[in-house]
């Protein structure tokens, strides 16, 4: 179960653009893996998966690039290239030529990426607040439909123009810039839909405000040809400023929420790096001295005292201790260390003092290798394309073509005196009714309601991508320690020798002796006594025997509590209790002998207990059609015992941190599975990032929470079931919303183009087109609100 990090390569700084020359570590005796270099570029300005694809294609065309991958979810571009043929400057220029930005180190030092994300979020928030404040009165005026006398004034359209112009030109400028960038590359995305719809509404309304007589005639002509406009020839021209301003405000709200979630993606790396010790106590010139951990060299002798973090990886040269390696291996019990044992940076020395010789420092340590694994897993995860983005490349050109065709047909077919105005009104009607309000709201409204409902039940979902992924899963991999089990050892059994007395007396004496111990096993015995209401006695002559147990005087009696080896060294006969100890060990428990005045008094057992709800959760996952596996760094005997208790039949035991991510990858690539990983430890972070869906127990390490897509606030494994059920309900609602949004456009666009005129004599005016557009949006939102009635299988507590 000991971690042996053997991953070649180097790890660069994770909080900014990195150039990683993958020449391996030839200076350390290993051959280079590749002559390629790698750069990770944080990208700004991407708003959809189509943007990521555009940047990826642009980078791939740069001469010398061997592979490019752009992850929309993390806003990072990873490029492998020939450093002799091309450099980072060319990549930056390519990204900017595509219409996006790159966060460079020189802009703000090591925190450039974080500061850029925060600035982007602040900008979105400022624009949304302005758009919402200015759009509200415009919406009120538009919804009054002339029924409020105060709004029936000649200058009301000028007021709407004054309020809408800042929204369009300032708050919505990014949409128009994005649409222009897409147009330059002969593509279309959601920005194009927003720009076409809001731009048409704004330009038409502005023209109608500036030249009301011309457009009043157009409205009258349209009214004479049809009956749907409901306006006479003398009527004032309609304006649609609210269609432009309100859509921009709503889209900004969705992107604001998305930016907030994406801005936290780099926290996992930063928290991992923060685990490393800042200083190390090394022996130089025969004296101990504290130096920054960066100055530790291979071969240095490092001294570690009880309670301190081990600064780098190495091999123990003298001393004994118990080291807590839970952050690396996931084991709940500390590992005994003596001369010749390997130790790892960022693990914690729990007991004795020891010295070790540094063997791996800097980028070669186990901790830095885990950092590398997290980054690579995040970078390799393909972004989930939103349905609206996938269809926008076809939908937008089709709508524009239909609008242009409508204009041409009516310009030819309408009477000479009204041909231009009628064609223009019909053209605008098509664009307004095709405005992507309902399409844009279909996904975010369902996601907002779904994630909010999940939070009420203790399930925090980072975004719509996670919800979309969860409903496709077919396999769940559960970490053992802290996920299926409680994550800390607890007293499970007390067996007193027949000639000693009651078990309570044995527990009282053993717990009293362990009061001075800092070992987790001793602490478990003391907690067990407290839970059973057993009062303890004072101790004297306490001695901790590293790796074996403790000795102490309690009420004038000599107590020895520890493993079988300690009993034999003290000459204590264990007899038939050895068989019982073996049986306990077979159940995944750790047996501890207790001797009083040289005679065996009994046996105690400590184990990491299974959470009461774990078995029920596993059964529920199976009923959902999911195959459940368990992965752990613990030994196979303990792992299989826990698996049997909760009903899991497939166990992956003695798996190291890098092995966990590898097992997830193997399930994905070799077995074609869609995998969710559930864990709580730092050692789970790479696997959480590699999985299609990472689920972190909220009671676990901060790094695990940041690397995961879903967080369970209460540490209850049944929350995984709630997350899957919520995902299915939300995606079902999204599909319904998209269906109705598309049906609305399929029906509405032909009607706006005049398809019913030959049969009924009706033409759809822009006023009714705007009303239909609003109705479609209301229906989508109302359908999403039905998710508020979602009830999980296991109610929140």
């Amino acid at each position: 179960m000991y971690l042996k990090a053997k991953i070649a390569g180097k790890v660069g700084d994770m909080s900014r653009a990195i150039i990683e020359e993958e020449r391996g570590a030839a200076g350390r005796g290993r051959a280079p893996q590749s002559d390629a270099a790698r750069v990770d570029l944080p990208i700004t300005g991407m708003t959809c998966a189509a943007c990521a694809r555009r940047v990826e294609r642009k980078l791939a065309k740069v001469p010398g690039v061997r592979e490019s991958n752009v992850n929309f979810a993390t806003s990072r571009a990873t490029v492998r290239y020939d450093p002799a043929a091309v450099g980072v400057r060319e990549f930056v220029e390519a990204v900017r030529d595509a219409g996006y930005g790159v966060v460079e180190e020189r802009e703000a030092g090591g925190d450039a990426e974080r500061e850029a994300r925060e600035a982007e979020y602040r900008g979105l928030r400022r624009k949304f607040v302005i758009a919402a404040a200015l759009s509200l009165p415009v919406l009120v005026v538009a919804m009054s439909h002339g029924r409020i006398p105060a709004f029936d004034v000649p200058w009301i359209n000028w007021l709407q123009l004054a309020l809408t112009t800042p929204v369009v030109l300032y708050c919505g400028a990014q949409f128009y810039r994005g649409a222009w960038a897409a147009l330059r590359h002969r593509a279309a995305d959601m920005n194009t839909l927003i720009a076409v719809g809001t731009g048409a509404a704004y330009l038409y309304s502005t023209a109608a405000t500036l030249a009301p007589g011309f457009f009043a005639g157009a409205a009258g002509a349209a009214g004479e040809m049809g009956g749907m406009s409901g306006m006479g020839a003398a009527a004032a021209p309609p304006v649609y400023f609210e269609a432009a301003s309100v859509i921009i405000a709503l889209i900004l709200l969705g992107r604001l929420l998305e930016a907030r979630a994406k801005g936290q993606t780099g926290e996992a790396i930063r928290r991992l790096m923060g685990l490393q010790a800042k200083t190390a106590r090394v022996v130089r010139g025969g004296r101990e001295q504290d130096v920054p951990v960066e100055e530790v060299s291979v071969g240095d002798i490092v001294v570690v005292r009880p309670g301190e973090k081990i600064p780098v990886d190495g091999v123990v040269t003298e001393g004994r201790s118990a080291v807590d390696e839970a952050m690396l291996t996931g084991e709940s019990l500390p590992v005994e260390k003596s001369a010749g044992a390997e130790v790892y940076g960022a693990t914690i020395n729990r007991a004795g003092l020891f010295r070790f010789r540094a063997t791996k420092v800097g980028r070669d340590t186990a901790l830095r290798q885990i950092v590398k694994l997290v980054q690579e897993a995040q970078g390799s995860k393909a972004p989930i394309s939103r349905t609206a983005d996938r269809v926008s490349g076809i939908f937008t050109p089709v709508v524009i073509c239909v609008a242009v065709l409508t204009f041409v047909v009516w310009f030819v077919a309408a009477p000479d005196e009204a041909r231009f105005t009628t064609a223009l009104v019909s053209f605008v009607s098509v664009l307004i009714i095709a405005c992507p309000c309902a399409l844009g709201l279909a996904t975010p409204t369902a996601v907002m309601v779904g994630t909010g409902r999940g939070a009420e039940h203790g399930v925090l979902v980072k975004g719509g991508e996670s919800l979309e992924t969860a409903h496709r899963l077919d396999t769940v991999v559960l970490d053992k320690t802290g996920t299926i089990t409680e994550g800390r050892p607890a007293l499970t059994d007390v067996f007193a020798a027949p000639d000693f007395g009651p078990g309570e007396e044995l527990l009282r004496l053993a717990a009293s002796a362990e009061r001075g111990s800092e070992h987790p096993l001793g602490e478990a015995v003391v907690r067990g006594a407290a839970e059973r209401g057993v009062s303890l006695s004072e101790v004297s002559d306490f001695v901790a025997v590293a790796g074996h147990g403790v000795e102490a005087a309690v009420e004038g009696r000599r107590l020895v509590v520890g493993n079988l080896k300690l009993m034999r060294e003290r000459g204590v006969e264990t007899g038939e209790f050895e068989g019982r100890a073996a049986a306990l060990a077979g159940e995944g428990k750790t047996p501890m002998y207790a001797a009083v005045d040289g005679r065996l008094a009994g046996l105690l057992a400590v184990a990491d207990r299974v959470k009461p709800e774990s078995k029920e959760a596993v059964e529920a996952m199976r009923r959902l059609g999911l195959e459940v596996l368990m992965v752990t760094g613990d030994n196979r005997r303990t792992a299989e015992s826990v698996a049997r208790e909760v009903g899991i039949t497939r166990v992956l035991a003695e798996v190291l941190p890098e092995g966990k991510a590898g097992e997830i990858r193997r399930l994905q690539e070799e077995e074609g599975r869609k995998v969710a990983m559930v864990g709580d430890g730092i050692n789970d972070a790479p696997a959480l990032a590699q999985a299609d869906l990472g689920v972190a127990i909220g009671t676990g390490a901060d790094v695990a929470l940041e690397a995961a897509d879903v967080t369970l606030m209460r540490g209850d494994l049944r929350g995984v079931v709630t997350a899957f059920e919520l995902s299915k309900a939300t995606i079902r609602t999204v599909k319904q919303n998209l269906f109705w949004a598309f049906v609305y456009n399929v029906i509405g666009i032909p009607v706006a183009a005049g398809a019913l005129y030959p049969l009924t004599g009706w033409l759809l005016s822009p006023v009714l087109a705007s009303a239909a557009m609003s109705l479609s949006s209301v229906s989508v939102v109302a359908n999403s609100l039905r998710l508020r009635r979602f009830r999980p299988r296991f109610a929140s507590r």
Side-chain angles (χ1 to χ4, degrees), residues 35 37 102 152 164 224 299 344 363 372 385 423 454 482 498 510 549 572 700 761:
D35 59 352
V102 178
D152 190 16
T164 303
E224 292 173 2
Y344 306 98
R363 297 176 178 178
K372 180 179 180 180
S385 300
V572 178

Side-chain angles (χ1 to χ4, degrees), residues 395-736:
F395 178 73
T396 303
V398 168
V399 169
I400 295 175
C401 290
V402 170
V404 172
L405 181 62
T406 299
F407 182 90
V408 171
V409 169
W410 282 113
F411 189 82
V412 173
D416 292 343
E417 67 276 9
R419 63 170 50 178
F420 178 78
T421 53
T422 303
L424 181 62
V425 169
S426 299
F427 174 80
V428 172
S429 295
V430 171
L431 290 178
I432 288 178
I433 204 166
C435 190
C437 192
L439 193 61
L441 290 173
T443 299
T445 54
V447 169
M448 288 173 64
V449 178
T451 53
R453 190 60 177 156
E456 294 177 11
H457 292 280
V459 178
L460 299 182
V461 184
K462 283 191 175 180
E465 292 89 351
S466 303
L467 282 173
E468 186 174 346
T469 301
H471 88 287
R472 299 195 186 103
L473 299 171
D474 52 35
T475 304
V476 181
V477 178
L478 304 177
D479 178 54
K480 181 182 76 68
T481 306
T483 303
I484 296 176
T485 65
E486 294 178 348
R488 67 173 186 173
L491 182 67
T492 58
D493 301 276
V494 178
F495 300 105
D499 59 348
F500 178 78
E504 183 175 326
E505 177 65 9
L506 170 63
L507 177 58
R508 185 180 70 82
L509 293 174
S512 297
E514 292 282 8
R515 289 179 68 179
S517 174
E518 296 180 353
H519 196 287
L521 294 180
E523 293 173 353
V525 173
V526 174
R527 283 197 306 271
E531 291 169 359
R532 292 163 174 78
V534 177
S535 58
L536 306 184
S537 301
E538 294 297 325
V539 301
S540 59
D541 300 329
F542 174 84
V543 177
V545 184
H548 298 301
V550 300
E551 294 180 292
V554 180
E555 299 173 356
R557 308 166 76 177
R558 192 67 188 171
L559 266 292
V560 180
V561 183
N563 58 21
L564 181 61
K565 186 176 181 180
L566 180 60
M567 295 297 115
R568 289 176 176 171
E569 288 180 355
R570 299 298 183 265
V572 178
E573 293 291 336
T574 53
E576 72 279 1
F577 272 83
E578 290 187 23
R580 180 168 292 180
L584 291 170
E587 297 173 6
K589 301 175 181 179
T590 301
M592 302 168 59
Y593 296 91
V596 179
D597 294 331
R599 297 184 60 185
L600 185 67
L603 190 67
L604 302 94
V606 171
D608 187 7
R609 290 185 295 201
V610 171
K611 294 178 181 178
E613 66 276 2
S614 293
K615 183 176 182 180
E616 185 180 18
V618 170
E619 292 176 352
M621 291 179 209
R622 284 181 166 176
R623 287 197 294 271
L624 289 174
L626 300 166
E627 181 176 353
V628 185
L629 290 73
M630 186 177 78
V631 62
T632 179
D634 261 345
N635 63 75
R636 177 161 296 278
R637 183 172 59 182
T638 300
E640 290 181 345
S641 173
V642 172
R644 284 194 300 271
E645 187 172 347
V646 298
I648 295 176
T649 57
R650 188 172 175 183
V651 179
L652 306 173
E654 300 179 16
V655 179
L656 306 181
E658 67 270 26
K660 289 185 178 181
E663 289 291 344
I664 299 296
R665 191 179 303 110
R666 185 184 61 78
L667 288 169
Q668 293 169 324
E669 296 176 357
E670 297 181 11
E671 301 185 25
R673 295 179 178 272
K674 296 292 184 181
V675 184
M677 172 68 193
V678 186
D680 79 323
I682 293 167
N683 64 298
D684 299 323
L688 290 171
Q690 174 63 42
D692 296 280
L693 185 77
V695 182
I697 302 294
T699 53
D702 290 343
V703 171
L705 307 186
E706 294 295 342
D709 304 298
V710 177
T711 300
L712 308 182
M713 295 171 61
R714 281 178 271 271
D716 187 335
L717 195 56
R718 293 177 297 184
V720 178
V721 180
T722 298
F724 292 152
E725 292 176 335
L726 178 65
S727 169
K728 292 180 183 296
T730 303
I731 299 305
R732 184 168 56 248
T733 300
V734 169
K735 291 179 178 179
Q736 291 170 353

Side-chain angles (χ1 to χ4, degrees), residues 255-277:
R255 293 194 176 173
L256 179 67
L257 297 174
E258 181 179 344
R260 182 177 182 181
K262 288 172 62 177
Q264 300 174 357
T265 57
E267 289 300 316
I269 300 294
R270 286 186 281 270
R271 290 182 186 273
L272 272 172
M273 295 301 297
L275 291 171
Q276 185 173 0

Side-chain angles (χ1 to χ4, degrees), residues 112-188:
E113 184 178 355
R114 173 186 282 185
E115 292 179 11
R117 304 297 181 213
E118 291 176 350
E120 183 179 10
Y121 177 78
R122 289 194 299 269
L124 281 171
R125 182 175 59 188
R126 179 175 60 253
K127 291 178 180 179
F128 166 69
V129 170
I130 294 173
L134 296 179
S135 297
L136 182 60
V138 176
L139 181 62
V140 171
V141 171
M143 297 301 290
S144 68
H145 298 298
R147 289 192 295 269
I148 301 178
F151 296 155
D152 190 16
V153 290
W155 45 265
I156 193 65
N157 286 358
W158 288 96
L159 174 63
Q160 295 183 73
L161 174 62
L163 292 173
T164 303
T165 298
V167 176
V168 173
L169 299 185
Y170 171 66
C171 302
Q174 65 192 71
F175 305 131
Y176 300 102
R177 286 196 299 267
W180 173 245
L183 180 62
R184 287 195 300 114
H185 293 87
R186 298 183 298 276

